[in-house]
Amino acid sequence: MLRLYATVAAGGFRRHATYRVATAAGVFTNTVFGFILSYTYMALWDARPALGGYSQADALAYVWIGQGLLTVCGLMGGGFEDELIERIRTGDIAVDLYRPVDLQAWWFSANLGRSAYQLLGRGVLPLLFGSLVFDLTLPDGPGTWLAFLLAVALGSIVSFAIWYLVAMSAFWLLDGQGVVQVAWLGGLFFSGTLLPLNVFPGSLGEIARLLPWASLLQVPADVYLGRYEGWALFGAFAFQVCWALVLLAAGRLAQVAATRKVVVQGG
């Protein structure tokens, strides 16, 4: 069974690798927005040095990390929810549920391949380009890079769990696009895509840093910037793992309920 899911993941990688023009366009778009955000952040940090505990170099690194992880961690969409919602809407999902494979594991594997390709295709290049043009903070050594990659991987899992739940809502709604839009706006704001969550004032910032979207960008960025050391780093990973387990379990429950719904309607 593990071999099957590995094949699905490899297929997800190859599927997205075929869209090379789209990847190039995505890299270009991320780079352009990276420039816009970089100069905006430079003006903001010139006026408010050390805002959120970041130096200007930290803030610029945060910008380009965000552009690199935009599709890797699904900050504005998981990249699979529309297809899954469409299968639910048309009833094709019934075939998927009767297959001798787990629906959640199947989509998880496919998304794993997608994220791996996006990391290589649209994740590395914007960050590399930003580091050549701007004075960015760079990790101290290979250990920090490895910790950052682990945080990115965990963030991608949390992202999948969020968007899988969003897609499963289509079983009980006439159209899942409303939930997609709400999740998109929530993720855009609470992941720190617009501004680091450390900048959010008072209770808003405290709440935002406790929500699952913080796992997608804020935690990986802070790991990259070396803001976690020792047990604090372990705690950051534990935060991501806990949200991944909770959301995956919620997705499992939604899948079980959906399967019963399909069986009852089919019977």
Side-chain angles (χ1 to χ4, degrees):
M1 190 62 71
L2 289 177
R3 184 176 180 180
L4 170 63
Y5 294 131
T7 302
V8 173
F13 186 97
R14 289 195 300 270
R15 176 184 179 184
H16 288 84
T18 59
Y19 299 104
R20 297 177 182 175
V21 175
T23 300
V27 171
F28 176 77
T29 302
N30 291 152
T31 302
V32 170
F33 276 98
F35 269 92
I36 295 172
L37 287 174
S38 291
Y39 286 112
T40 302
Y41 273 42
M42 288 170 67
L44 180 58
W45 258 260
D46 282 340
R48 296 283 302 277
L51 180 64
Y54 289 159
S55 67
Q56 187 174 97
D58 292 342
L60 290 172
Y62 184 95
V63 167
W64 290 97
I65 292 169
Q67 293 305 303
L69 298 185
L70 198 64
T71 54
V72 177
C73 290
L75 302 181
M76 299 176 67
F80 69 91
E81 65 280 354
D82 288 339
E83 183 179 353
L84 181 52
I85 288 173
E86 181 63 17
R87 293 190 67 81
I88 295 172
R89 189 188 66 81
T90 60
D92 292 340
I93 194 68
V95 178
D96 300 337
L97 290 172
Y98 280 113
R99 287 174 179 168
V101 294
D102 182 75
L103 183 70
Q104 188 183 49
W106 177 281
W107 285 97
F108 175 84
S109 300
N111 187 68
L112 180 63
R114 181 201 66 81
S115 295
Y117 173 74
Q118 295 294 356
L119 178 62
L120 298 176
R122 293 181 60 176
V124 174
L125 290 179
L127 182 58
L128 178 61
F129 192 82
S131 66
L132 293 175
V133 179
F134 298 96
D135 181 21
L136 311 184
T137 298
L138 296 175
D140 296 331
T144 304
W145 279 111
L146 290 175
F148 171 63
L149 290 176
L150 177 57
V152 170
L154 293 174
S156 178
I157 294 173
V158 174
S159 173
F160 165 79
I162 292 173
W163 290 106
Y164 185 77
L165 271 174
V166 169
M168 295 300 285
S169 70
F171 273 103
W172 294 273
L173 301 173
L174 294 177
D175 186 0
Q177 290 305 312
V179 181
V180 169
Q181 291 298 318
V182 172
W184 182 83
L185 290 173
L188 185 66
F189 185 76
F190 288 112
S191 66
T193 303
L194 300 178
L195 277 174
L197 301 183
N198 296 341
V199 176
F200 288 17
S203 298
L204 177 61
E206 294 176 4
I207 293 173
R209 289 188 290 271
L210 292 176
L211 294 176
W213 289 288
S215 298
L216 277 55
L217 173 56
Q218 187 67 56
V219 172
D222 282 341
V223 170
Y224 172 98
L225 294 171
R227 293 171 67 90
Y228 296 113
E229 295 181 357
W231 284 106
L233 180 60
F234 177 81
F237 292 148
F239 173 81
Q240 292 179 293
V241 169
C242 286
W243 269 120
L245 293 176
V246 168
L247 293 170
L248 288 172
R252 173 70 55 186
L253 292 175
Q255 179 179 314
V256 170
T259 303
R260 291 175 180 174
K261 180 180 176 69
V262 170
V263 170
V264 169
Q265 289 180 346

